[in-house]
Amino acid sequence: MKRTASHNDLTLSPLRFLIVDDSDLNRKVIVRQIESERKGRLSKTYIRQADDGLTALEVMREELQEGRHFDVVLMDYTMINMHGPDAATVMRKEFKFRGPIIGVTGNALAEDIATFLSSGASEVLTKPLTKVKLMNTLSLYCT
């Protein structure tokens, strides 16, 4: 049974996000959606960005070496160097990442969503990503 929640249930702070997308514009949209909640429920969030799966793994490795971890990964499916499902697999198996990996993709085909989920994504959201959809999803995993 799928959990449901409202973004009004999101009462967490601080959270550490890794946002991974090959589109600078898509990353900016997600960052703005998260930052718009900073004044309230998501105050003091920390956000790092990467433009592909390989860079995301480097960023995650760097954070772990400094004794820090991410709470949430938001990641695109199709990117250069390494796709989201491949990066999710490495995050789960090699880095033992246990937080939510939320796929954010324009690939709405059932088989693409299934691939992302079987690779370790907790949830897959299709673009365009609205703030309500993002906050409701974060409420499922971060309350």
Side-chain angles (χ1 to χ4, degrees):
M1 184 161 116
K2 191 169 180 122
R3 297 186 301 169
T4 60
S6 163
H7 73 276
N8 295 325
D9 298 332
L10 193 59
T11 56
L12 34 86
S13 175
L15 276 182
R16 298 174 57 84
F17 290 90
L18 175 57
I19 300 170
V20 188
D21 198 303
D22 57 341
S23 166
D24 186 51
L25 178 61
N26 288 339
R27 288 193 313 272
K28 283 180 182 179
V29 167
I30 294 170
V31 167
R32 285 187 182 142
Q33 290 174 343
I34 293 168
E35 286 180 339
S36 70
E37 289 291 316
R38 277 189 168 167
K39 295 178 185 88
R41 295 177 292 269
L42 289 178
S43 63
K44 300 179 184 177
T45 56
Y46 174 82
I47 300 171
R48 294 266 325 249
Q49 300 178 43
D51 60 5
D52 63 54
L54 192 59
T55 304
L57 297 177
E58 292 170 6
V59 169
M60 187 170 274
R61 182 177 289 112
E62 178 184 301
E63 291 289 318
L64 289 171
Q65 288 172 344
E66 295 294 324
R68 298 181 299 258
H69 69 279
F70 289 104
D71 299 300
V72 180
V73 175
L74 295 154
M75 185 159 38
D76 189 21
Y77 188 109
T78 304
M79 299 176 286
I80 58 169
N81 295 324
M82 182 181 283
H83 293 313
D86 298 327
T89 298
V90 174
M91 289 175 181
R92 295 290 192 210
K93 290 185 178 179
E94 292 184 28
F95 295 131
K96 307 296 185 214
F97 181 72
R98 298 292 173 236
I101 297 174
I102 301 170
V104 181
T105 181
N107 299 336
L109 297 174
E111 64 188 53
D112 290 336
I113 293 171
T115 297
F116 219 152
L117 292 170
S118 69
S119 298
S122 308
E123 185 92 20
V124 179
L125 304 176
T126 55
K127 295 174 186 174
L129 182 63
T130 65
K131 180 180 172 184
V132 169
K133 190 187 316 183
L134 176 59
M135 293 304 134
N136 284 346
T137 301
L138 290 175
S139 294
L140 294 174
Y141 297 97
C142 302
T143 56

